[in-house]
Amino acid sequence: MAEKIGIIGAGAWGTALALLLADNGHDVALWMFEKDLAKETQGSRENRVYLPGFTLPANISVTPSLEEAVRDRPYVLSVVPSHTVRTVSKQFAPHLAGNAVIVSASKGIEIDTLMPLSDVFRETLPPKFHTRLCFLSGPSFAREVAQKMPTAVALASYEPDAGSLVQKLMSTPYFRVYTNADVIGVELGGSVKNVIAIAAGVLEGLGFGYNTMAALLTRGLAEMSRLGTALGADPRTFSGLAGMGDLVLTCTGGLSRNRTLGVRLGKGEKLDDILKGAKTVAEGVKTAKAARELARKNGIEMPIVEEVYRILYEGKNPRQATKDLMGRTLKGE
């Protein structure tokens, strides 16, 4: 059955999800913040800035109006950068249909409050929507989804019925959605893996090999699991798509913005210079700060996250950061 769906955020991921849902026969309204770009994209039928090379079918409309994007639409996907979720969700909340199911496809932790995005939405949306919140995560590069390459993701929800509805809405022969009841685990996996991916890029930029990468992935996963368990997540979540799956993809895939940023840092470029020329957000830069503070607040040891933070925010030499990680006090696994 065709549904009316609003997608808030027309970056690469938002556009890829619009293409996916349109391919399933749904009527999609895609909200784009930049008015001029929205007009150009609606006319050209291609998001030339964020996801070039893909034609938007007729059942995708592009609009700069939040009200138009969500009004009378029973499903709304929020795909904006994590640091804008609070502001944007407050703006679209008054226009939501009374029966709307909201799906968050953003990955990150709010820096000022250290809240996962699930808590941010529960503050910005009226209580009647709280049980109809879902959270999409897992190994999924936007371009490969747009190319219809087989992809599997995790969808966490508070209520199984809401999760089941979205699972059916989004699943296609090339996009498989697995439901999960562990909201905080799915969110943290999708957030912290971006920090580990920066570290992975740094190691590549320094010229290290497969041994080093395997160690990073394994110990990075341990850090994610420690933090998640302390915050109430199911540790099994981190061996699934939202944990290990997304970690492997983002740390090793050439399309990863966070890994690419790390490579440039490892080769000696400065963070400010890298960010000046960036069109898209590498969420791990902000998440490194939030994850470090969460770890310290909860007494959790996260040495990789700590060293990534020092590289990003204190200008620490990446090679020295690697030496310091390897020189820590010996212990059992």
Side-chain angles (χ1 to χ4, degrees):
M1 177 181 173
E3 297 284 1
K4 295 175 70 177
I5 302 168
I7 296 183
I8 309 304
W13 189 218
T15 304
L17 290 174
L19 290 166
L20 170 82
L21 290 162
D23 196 38
N24 255 0
H26 302 301
D27 176 349
V28 179
L30 179 62
W31 177 75
M32 185 174 277
F33 174 74
E34 304 96 326
K35 291 183 179 180
D36 291 344
L37 185 57
K39 183 178 180 180
E40 192 276 330
T41 303
Q42 177 68 7
S44 68
R45 309 307 298 161
E46 180 184 355
N47 189 343
R48 292 172 178 167
V49 173
Y50 297 108
L51 194 66
F54 299 92
T55 300
L56 304 183
N59 53 336
I60 296 178
S61 60
V62 183
T63 176
S65 167
L66 274 173
E67 180 178 358
E68 184 178 328
V70 305
R71 186 181 60 234
D72 299 326
R73 293 186 178 268
Y75 295 93
V76 173
L77 277 66
S78 174
V79 203
V80 297
S82 61
H83 65 278
T84 68
V85 165
R86 182 177 294 274
T87 299
V88 175
S89 59
K90 278 183 179 180
Q91 291 173 349
F92 71 65
H95 307 298
L96 288 169
N99 64 339
V101 175
I102 295 90
V103 181
S104 170
S106 305
K107 296 177 180 179
I109 301 166
E110 190 174 57
I111 294 179
D112 293 340
T113 64
L114 302 183
M115 285 182 176
L117 298 184
S118 53
D119 287 348
V120 175
F121 279 110
R122 289 167 75 88
E123 284 195 354
T124 61
L125 300 181
K128 65 181 178 181
F129 296 111
H130 292 182
T131 58
R132 296 202 292 276
L133 281 164
C134 300
F135 301 87
L136 186 71
S137 194
S140 48
F141 285 143
R143 179 160 292 274
E144 292 191 1
V145 170
Q147 292 170 327
K148 302 183 180 181
M149 294 188 181
T151 301
V153 297
L155 180 81
S157 62
Y158 295 109
E159 293 292 338
D161 289 347
S164 180
L165 286 171
V166 176
Q167 180 184 43
K168 293 173 183 175
L169 182 84
M170 301 190 74
S171 293
T172 75
Y174 57 90
F175 195 79
R176 184 172 177 84
V177 181
Y178 288 85
T179 54
N180 191 316
D182 183 14
V183 170
I184 186 64
V186 167
E187 284 193 286
L188 281 176
S191 301
V192 179
K193 58 91 183 180
N194 285 326
V195 184
I196 308 302
I198 292 176
V202 167
L203 295 180
E204 181 170 333
L206 289 170
F208 295 125
Y210 299 119
N211 290 0
T212 316
M213 190 61 66
L216 175 76
L217 290 171
T218 307
R219 299 313 302 164
L221 185 62
E223 291 191 19
M224 290 166 53
S225 183
R226 278 200 298 269
L227 180 62
T229 302
L231 297 179
D234 184 340
R236 294 174 297 180
T237 297
F238 299 100
S239 65
L241 289 164
M244 182 176 67
D246 212 358
L247 180 68
V248 170
L249 178 77
T250 315
C251 287
T252 64
L255 294 175
S256 167
R257 294 188 296 269
N258 294 283
R259 175 182 169 277
T260 299
L261 181 143
V263 170
R264 295 176 67 179
L265 289 169
K267 290 182 176 179
E269 292 187 57
K270 300 300 182 184
L271 180 63
D272 288 346
D273 295 333
I274 298 171
L275 296 181
K276 282 177 186 176
K279 290 182 180 179
T280 55
V281 176
E283 289 281 7
V285 174
K286 294 182 181 296
T287 304
K289 188 174 185 179
R292 176 186 187 251
E293 291 305 312
L294 268 179
R296 291 189 164 198
K297 180 180 178 181
N298 290 276
I300 305 301
E301 190 177 29
M302 298 184 76
I304 297 171
V305 169
E306 180 70 29
E307 292 299 336
V308 171
Y309 172 86
R310 290 178 178 174
I311 291 170
L312 293 173
Y313 292 97
E314 296 178 359
K316 186 171 183 177
N317 182 282
R319 194 170 294 276
Q320 185 60 50
T322 306
K323 288 181 180 178
D324 289 347
L325 279 172
M326 294 299 293
R328 296 169 62 247
T329 303
L330 297 175
K331 60 184 67 178
E333 187 178 28

